[in-house]
């Protein structure tokens, strides 16, 4: 069983991983297009989390994570508990191209563009302002952004929009500390 990691699964998979490979998923873009009302925000002050936004012609680069044999059922239940908390994601099995040339079928969580938490198309500046202030059950929204960007850099996976957000959120935080 393979799982596609493109956000927090890059740095916190939460299940036993037997193998990981840089991987690409066609026709989807990684973006902060989902309001977080549990993990990185609240219903009163939603944060933003990354989601796979269906976008024909785009490519999302992340990690293919092969689940430790024997842990498939427990992993799938764990992922469903974690990712489907508010039904804003839809579980899919999609073709993933690994960096060693293999193509595998992988579980991936794609945003439901009809769900109330979907917010695709927000300007990067608005995303930065939301991320800079939001806090949820799993901690500050900034931690989510900073960890994701750091791990993308470690894996040498470019994401200019996330790099811009990382720098801008740090500017906002610095300005708030030094009025």
């Amino acid at each position: 069983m393979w799982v596609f990691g493109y956000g927090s699964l890059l740095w916190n998979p939460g299940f036993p991983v037997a193998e990981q490979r840089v991987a690409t998923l066609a026709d989807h873009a990684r973006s902060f297009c989902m309001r977080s009302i549990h993990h990185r925000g609240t219903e009163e002050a939603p944060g933003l989390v990354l989601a796979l936004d269906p976008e024909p012609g785009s490519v999302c680069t992340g990690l293919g994570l092969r689940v430790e044999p024997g842990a498939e059922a427990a992993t799938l239940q764990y992922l469903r508990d974690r990712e489907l908390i508010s039904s804003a994601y839809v579980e899919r099995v999609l073709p993933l191209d690994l960096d060693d040339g293999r193509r595998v079928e992988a579980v991936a969580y794609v945003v439901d563009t009809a769900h109330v938490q979907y917010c695709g198309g927000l300007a990067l500046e608005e995303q930065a302002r939301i991320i800079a202030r939001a806090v949820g059950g799993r901690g500050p929204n900034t931690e989510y952004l900073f960890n994701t960007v750091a791990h993308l850099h470690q894996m040498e996976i470019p994401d200019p929009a996330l790099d811009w957000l990382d720098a801008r959120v740090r500017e906002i935080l610095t300005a708030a500390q030094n009025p």
Side-chain angles (χ1 to χ4, degrees):
M1 174 181 164
W2 287 85
V3 176
F4 184 53
Y6 57 88
S8 62
L9 290 175
L10 297 171
W11 46 272
N12 182 24
F15 58 86
V17 176
E19 177 184 3
Q20 68 178 35
R21 304 292 312 190
V22 172
T24 55
L25 176 65
D27 298 321
H28 292 82
R30 171 186 21 247
S31 69
F32 278 102
C33 63
M34 189 171 96
R35 296 193 189 281
S36 178
I37 58 173
H38 299 287
H39 296 316
R40 299 297 174 168
T42 63
E43 288 192 28
E44 300 76 29
L48 294 173
V49 289
L50 293 165
L52 290 171
D53 202 355
E55 189 177 296
S58 66
V59 175
C60 179
T61 303
L63 282 182
L65 304 164
R66 186 168 59 84
V67 177
E68 190 75 43
E72 294 89 350
T75 295
L76 196 54
Q77 187 58 55
Y78 165 77
L79 289 170
R80 287 174 174 163
D81 291 345
R82 173 179 166 165
E83 303 296 334
L84 302 179
I85 188 169
S86 67
S87 304
Y89 286 122
V90 178
E91 184 178 282
R92 298 269 189 252
V93 176
L94 298 170
L96 200 60
D97 292 313
L98 306 180
D99 64 355
D100 64 2
R102 289 180 288 167
R103 175 169 267 199
V104 299
E105 296 290 310
V107 174
Y109 292 91
V110 177
V111 71
D112 176 355
T113 59
H115 196 277
V116 68
Q117 286 174 254
Y118 177 70
C119 59
L122 289 179
L124 286 175
E125 180 64 30
E126 184 176 354
Q127 292 176 40
R129 287 194 307 266
I130 292 168
I131 291 167
R133 64 154 173 73
V135 179
R138 291 196 180 207
N141 209 166
T142 54
E143 176 186 74
Y144 178 91
L145 169 65
F146 298 156
N147 279 335
T148 301
V149 170
H151 282 78
L152 288 170
H153 285 195
Q154 285 174 8
M155 292 176 279
E156 299 180 355
I157 297 172
D159 193 316
L162 291 191
D163 287 341
W164 187 92
L165 280 170
D166 183 281
R168 181 65 183 121
V169 167
R170 290 177 192 279
E171 288 174 4
I172 292 169
L173 295 176
T174 298
Q177 292 173 354
N178 305 308

